[in-house]
Amino acid sequence: MKIIALQEGNYIVNSQKEFQLLTEHTIDSGLKMAIQPFVVITDHDVILIDFGLGFVNNGVPFIYEMLRKNDIEPQQITKILVSHLHKDHIEGIGYFENNQFVQNFPNARIYIQEREIDFALEQLQNPSYVPELLNELKELPNVELLNEDNGQITDEIYFEVTAGHTKFQQVFWIKADNEIVFYGADDLPQKRYLKFPVAYKTDFDGKRAMESRKKWEQQAKDENWKVLLYHDMKTPVLDFAEERSEMKDAYRRKNRETRI
């Protein structure tokens, strides 16, 4: 499998969930995070995981720019996996023009939890959501509404509702070519979440998200997962096989230095 992080940039986010690109001149007054959807290419599909922010530059969706920087045309995307419906994960699905919604990926199959849509529509005062966008989702002809707590989308793609960050957030595994790619969305958005076992109050169920991270970390080590980190500013992909190899190399170097 080929993994590509579509790095939209590093942002600072305020309490109203407004995203400002982080530069050397940005006033440090919010939460810092990367925004980076992923493309995973298998023998059967070109899979986009989450949509990123919905910026449009000179009439061109920013997600198109990120794809083309990586030699991928938008029409090559065959499937899109949506973890949850916070604006920084869903806005790149499309935009409004003359009060009409225009999809960015009309030919791809888009997989969303129907219960997550219903839950999001109950949170209209929450600035994390874009109500106008949510109202469009169930009507899109290429959206596949999932209702199960876990299952398979194809022989390669698996999903599970974790109910950590949001009530019906789902995570994904892609298994092909003797590899396992895992996307934990905002239950596991950054590498540091593995180092500090914290139940975050900003999550729907912070304790559940914390317990999921513990379970995933052990499985990742045992099965050599590649973990996709949507909000990590330094490590988009955490490769546990590579981490283990680096630890062994460091141990060997230390032993050699000790003998010398």
Side-chain angles (χ1 to χ4, degrees), residues 16 120-129 131:
Q16 293 304 305
L121 285 168
E122 295 172 355
Q123 319 295 314
L124 297 184
Q125 303 306 311
N126 186 332
S128 291
Y129 297 100

Side-chain angles (χ1 to χ4, degrees), residues 77-94:
I77 301 296
T78 58
K79 291 182 174 62
I80 303 172
L81 311 179
V82 180
S83 62
H84 64 294
L85 300 176
H86 285 168
K87 64 170 66 173
D88 54 318
H89 291 256
I90 191 65
E91 271 191 333
I93 192 174

Side-chain angles (χ1 to χ4, degrees), residues 19-34:
F19 289 78
Q20 180 183 2
L21 190 63
L22 192 60
T23 70
E24 59 182 340
H25 304 296
T26 305
I27 298 173
D28 190 353
S29 60
L31 184 64
K32 296 177 183 177
M33 64 178 68

Side-chain angles (χ1 to χ4, degrees), residues 234-249:
K234 294 182 179 179
T235 310
V237 181
L238 180 57
D239 187 333
F240 275 87
E242 190 175 281
E243 288 257 314
R244 179 175 291 139
S245 177
E246 289 175 356
M247 288 177 63
K248 286 181 179 177
D249 288 344

Side-chain angles (χ1 to χ4, degrees), residues 3-251:
I3 301 169
I4 301 168
L6 303 178
Q7 297 173 316
E8 295 191 356
N10 297 327
Y11 293 81
I12 194 160
V13 189
N14 64 21
S15 60
Q16 293 304 305
K17 304 304 178 183
E18 296 168 330
F19 289 78
Q20 180 183 2
L21 190 63
L22 192 60
T23 70
E24 59 182 340
H25 304 296
T26 305
I27 298 173
D28 190 353
S29 60
L31 184 64
K32 296 177 183 177
M33 64 178 68
I35 303 292
Q36 48 201 6
F38 292 90
V39 171
V40 178
I41 302 173
T42 73
D43 290 340
H44 302 98
D45 282 298
V46 181
I47 304 162
L48 177 64
I49 305 179
D50 280 343
F51 286 102
L53 290 164
F55 299 133
V56 177
N57 297 328
N58 299 317
V60 179
F62 193 33
I63 188 74
Y64 283 14
E65 293 183 26
M66 294 300 99
L67 287 166
R68 286 168 175 155
K69 279 185 179 180
N70 290 279
D71 299 318
I72 299 171
E73 287 299 317
Q75 61 267 26
Q76 291 179 260
I77 301 296
T78 58
K79 291 182 174 62
I80 303 172
L81 311 179
V82 180
S83 62
H84 64 294
L85 300 176
H86 285 168
K87 64 170 66 173
D88 54 318
H89 291 256
I90 191 65
E91 271 191 333
I93 192 174
Y95 57 96
F96 288 90
E97 186 174 72
N98 299 324
N99 294 320
Q100 295 294 316
F101 182 68
V102 180
Q103 280 203 70
N104 287 335
F105 300 94
N107 298 320
R109 303 307 297 175
I110 303 172
Y111 297 87
I112 304 176
Q113 274 288 328
E114 183 173 22
R115 293 170 294 173
E116 177 70 7
I117 298 176
D118 295 336
F119 171 72
L121 285 168
E122 295 172 355
Q123 319 295 314
L124 297 184
Q125 303 306 311
N126 186 332
S128 291
Y129 297 100
V130 183
E132 298 82 8
L133 186 55
L134 298 176
N135 287 324
E136 298 289 331
L137 296 181
K138 283 190 179 182
E139 306 305 319
L140 298 179
N142 54 324
V143 164
E144 297 279 350
L145 296 173
L146 304 174
N147 284 285
E148 301 84 4
D149 288 337
N150 56 70
Q152 284 184 244
I153 292 171
T154 68
D155 289 341
E156 296 178 334
I157 305 170
Y158 300 74
F159 70 91
E160 180 180 314
V161 174
T162 57
H165 184 61
T166 67
K167 191 172 184 178
F168 295 101
Q169 179 186 267
Q170 57 187 354
V171 302
F172 301 98
W173 292 261
I174 302 171
K175 303 180 181 182
D177 303 322
N178 296 313
E179 293 181 298
I180 300 175
V181 171
F182 173 70
Y183 179 62
D186 281 5
D187 281 353
L188 180 50
Q190 297 174 333
K191 183 178 178 180
R192 67 180 180 84
Y193 276 54
L194 296 175
K195 295 182 179 180
F196 306 104
V198 175
Y200 291 94
K201 293 181 180 179
T202 52
D203 288 336
F204 173 77
D205 188 337
K207 184 176 180 182
R208 184 165 182 166
M210 180 181 67
E211 293 302 320
S212 292
R213 287 191 288 274
K214 292 179 184 177
K215 176 183 69 176
W216 294 332
E217 182 177 17
Q218 188 57 55
Q219 287 180 283
K221 290 176 179 177
D222 292 343
E223 300 174 11
N224 296 328
W225 294 359
K226 294 178 180 176
V227 178
L228 311 183
L229 302 171
Y230 190 85
H231 289 307
D232 199 296
M233 296 193 294
K234 294 182 179 179
T235 310
V237 181
L238 180 57
D239 187 333
F240 275 87
E242 190 175 281
E243 288 257 314
R244 179 175 291 139
S245 177
E246 289 175 356
M247 288 177 63
K248 286 181 179 177
D249 288 344
Y251 179 76

